[in-house]
Amino acid sequence: MNELLIINIKRLLRIENEPEPYVAGTKMKELPGVQNGWLWIKAGKVFDFGKMDELSSKESLPVNRIDAAGRFVLPAWCDSHTHLVYPQSREIEYIDKIKGLSYEEIAARGGGILNSAKKMQEASEDKLYEDAMKRLEETIRWGTGAVEIKSGYGLTTESELKMLRVIKRLKETSPLTIKSTFLGAHSIPIEYRNDQSKYVDVVINEMLPRVAEEGLADFVDVFCDKGFFTVEDTDRILESALKYGMRPKIHANELDYSGGIQIGVKHKALSVDHLEFTGDDEIAALKDSGTMPTILPGAAFFLNMALAPARKMMEAGLPVALATDFNPGSSPSGNMQLIMAMGSIMYRMLPEEVINAVTINTAYAMGVEKELGTIAKGKIANVIITKEIPSMEYMTYAYGENKVETVILNGEVVV
Ligand code: NIG
Ligand code: FE
């Protein structure tokens, strides 16, 4: 199937005539679209789109058609922050959480990330690949078309490389657009607890060169937060990664005013993610920085944390992106539609703001804004067709329901 025409679209949304890298501030309330529209896909790309009453003037229209009467068409979501390659779920630790232990207490007991790292040592690449592929297939059913995946459950050179090789294989075989991020500095292994700078040396001198040599990572990440890596550690790692051309996307300000946002901005990070502890200084640092503030509602919901000040950020003129953080410890879900509902319910974001936050803005946060994130001529045809739903607002309202009926990736119907 090389060409496809979607007709009678109730509303074709998040279209773009002059592509922009992202939308910020009050512009996030705008969701450009056409009423009663059509979308022409050719050779995996968006070829053209417009209003139904102008369609008859077009020539050589494709015979292969989908009638989308009563349905909305949108760009597939871009999920710019996940850890979806992992060896096992961690529901036992979740029970500890229910009993009242904090994230930091669980980490201090050798649980959390270190627990996954132990299991990662024994896991086979094939099993990791198969499990991750199943998770990816599930995310597609919820409308996701692009995913960033991090390493960080390895914490030894070999184990980190193993994770990244699995991500590489997923890139080669999944219809999703996938970007990979090296997160060797995700947690401090027990044997380095008394001298964490030695572990930072391992990340810089052993891991980074191997990762770069094998071309396994698009980006670099550091968990810059209280009890994890310091601003100085982060500075050193990002400085070294730059030599290999790896742009940062960092975990920042989830547990404290850690300085993570500022150090990320200093190193021209593509995104800083989590942001529960964001005040005026952090907002000032982000202003006009080109660094995408990315909120991860799933983690805040699952861990019962304070919420990142989304409205305050947008009022200050910043862009906001929303992603899943899909991981076994703090956000065991890759369901972007649930994240969208959380955007409205918890962060008081309007549906238009939410849709911008999970399409154009997350595309930027994972470096794919030129190919994805909006419906624009020449971009990759990753689009979703909704079920028959009453309104665009219904997308973030009906929080338990899968509103997506059809998923098209690279111009091919996959769901
Ligand atoms: O993004 N904050 C750091 N890392 C992950 C948690 C990973 C885990 O607990 O396994 C996160 O929430
Ligand atoms: Fe994360």
Side-chain angles (χ1 to χ4, degrees), residues 279-294:
D280 294 340
D281 291 348
E282 286 74 16
I283 288 178
L286 283 162
K287 194 86 196 185
D288 301 318
S289 65
T291 296
M292 179 61 65
T294 303

Side-chain angles (χ1 to χ4, degrees), residues 228-301:
F228 290 83
F229 294 88
T230 64
V231 167
E232 292 70 34
D233 297 333
T234 309
D235 200 27
R236 286 177 59 207
I237 295 168
L238 300 188
E239 194 77 46
S240 308
L242 186 69
K243 292 186 208 122
Y244 302 106
M246 286 178 215
R247 226 175 139 182
K249 279 175 63 61
I250 73 168
H251 282 76
N253 298 50
E254 176 186 6
L255 308 170
D256 201 359
Y257 293 97
S258 62
I261 292 176
Q262 287 88 338
I263 197 72
V265 168
K266 177 187 160 198
H267 287 277
K268 300 195 164 36
L270 204 47
S271 72
V272 286
D273 304 23
H274 276 294
L275 316 182
E276 281 72 14
F277 290 84
T278 299
D280 294 340
D281 291 348
E282 286 74 16
I283 288 178
L286 283 162
K287 194 86 196 185
D288 301 318
S289 65
T291 296
M292 179 61 65
T294 303
I295 296 174
L296 308 171
F301 170 71

Side-chain angles (χ1 to χ4, degrees), residues 81 83 251 274 325:
H81 182 137
H83 310 246
H251 282 76
H274 276 294
D325 197 16

